[in-house]
Amino acid sequence: MTEDLTGPPWATDWTKSAAEYRDSLPTTVRDQIIDAVTELKCSRHPYRDDHLDTAKVNIEPVRSTQPRGAHLLYFDRGRGWLRYVFTPRVAEPQIVIETLFWQ
């Protein structure tokens, strides 16, 4: 089923707490987050790292036993990460960013 999806760019939404935390960070960090999420939105599949600029971002599943579950997207050389899930609906596939962290 996931091969029949509409394709990138994927719709993206943020949970309220992740969006509030993102908005509280310095501008340079927010710009890096925007770049990282743009890489993810434009990837062929949000759970695979092919066609991603791995110098900027990398992804991995939160639990190896759930490869289609939540994933982590690392950015800023691993100083920050965000946890997201991908909902592969046929009409409008969507990435939901649940948690954001930056140190």
Side-chain angles (χ1 to χ4, degrees), residues 56-71:
K56 289 183 181 179
V57 299
N58 61 340
I59 60 173
E60 68 181 33
V62 172
R63 297 182 68 186
S64 61
T65 57
Q66 295 178 335
R68 298 234 187 257
H71 275 58

Side-chain angles (χ1 to χ4, degrees), residues 53-88:
D53 183 355
T54 54
K56 289 183 181 179
V57 299
N58 61 340
I59 60 173
E60 68 181 33
V62 172
R63 297 182 68 186
S64 61
T65 57
Q66 295 178 335
R68 298 234 187 257
H71 275 58
L72 295 174
L73 171 78
Y74 297 97
F75 63 94
D76 192 15
R77 296 184 198 96
R79 290 185 66 200
W81 55 264
L82 53 89
R83 177 186 165 125
Y84 68 95
V85 293
F86 178 62
T87 307

Side-chain angles (χ1 to χ4, degrees), residues 8 10 38-46 48 50-52:
W10 309 106
T38 300
E39 279 285 319
L40 181 64
K41 287 175 65 169
C42 295
S43 67
R44 286 195 174 177
H45 196 285
R48 294 187 214 129
D50 53 333
H51 298 94
L52 285 177

